[in-house]
Amino acid sequence: MPDAHRIPAADLPPGTVGRAGPWAVVNRDGRYAAVSRRCRHQLADLSEGSLDKDGCLVCPWHGARYDVRTGAMVAGPRGFLAYKGPTPGYTGLVRAYASVLKLRVRRALRRGDDVVVE
Ligand code: FES
């Protein structure tokens, strides 16, 4: 599979997020998943995000949370541009359009020493 995007499994221990080409790849306690890397809010690189205790992918800029199984934004951003903090109406607005415009989702599987995005 010459065009597959991959990441060494050693670089993706449980509870972490990594990058494989255009995909943010997560390891949720041994289960891998991949979503498109650009946050639906202001395009932050989600491969630099983190996983929370619920297994959601958290954007590194304003904390929007994504369900990596569906690509849906399950909690809107807290802030915009350089501001980080509560923005109740705005947060709801972003979440509303993100519910229509989900992240793309791909399967990610362990193959030998790598995790491969299909
Ligand atoms: S860019 Fe992701 S929450 Fe703002």
Side-chain angles (χ1 to χ4, degrees):
M1 198 181 298
D3 290 89
H5 296 285
R6 58 186 65 230
I7 180 174
D11 294 347
L12 198 63
T16 63
V17 183
R19 177 183 311 166
W23 305 100
V25 186
V26 304
N27 181 346
R28 302 171 72 211
D29 294 328
R31 287 171 293 133
Y32 300 102
V35 293
S36 47
R37 272 177 43 202
R38 294 296 163 192
C39 181
R40 292 304 193 201
H41 178 221
Q42 290 180 328
L43 307 180
D45 186 347
L46 294 171
S47 73
E48 296 176 3
S50 58
L51 284 177
D52 68 12
K53 63 178 175 33
D54 298 322
C56 288
L57 176 56
V58 182
C59 177
W61 284 5
H62 311 108
R65 298 170 63 237
Y66 291 93
D67 184 331
V68 295
R69 297 166 299 185
T70 63
M73 184 187 284
V74 296
R78 291 176 48 83
F80 54 91
L81 298 175
Y83 170 73
K84 296 185 182 182
T87 52
Y90 177 75
T91 297
L93 180 68
V94 172
R95 196 169 158 221
Y97 79 66
S99 70
V100 177
L101 204 60
K102 296 177 181 176
L103 299 177
R104 288 174 292 144
V105 177
R106 290 288 185 278
R107 286 202 322 167
L109 299 170
R110 178 82 184 249
R111 292 245 170 82
D113 291 337
D114 292 337
V115 177
V116 177
V117 179
E118 295 192 317

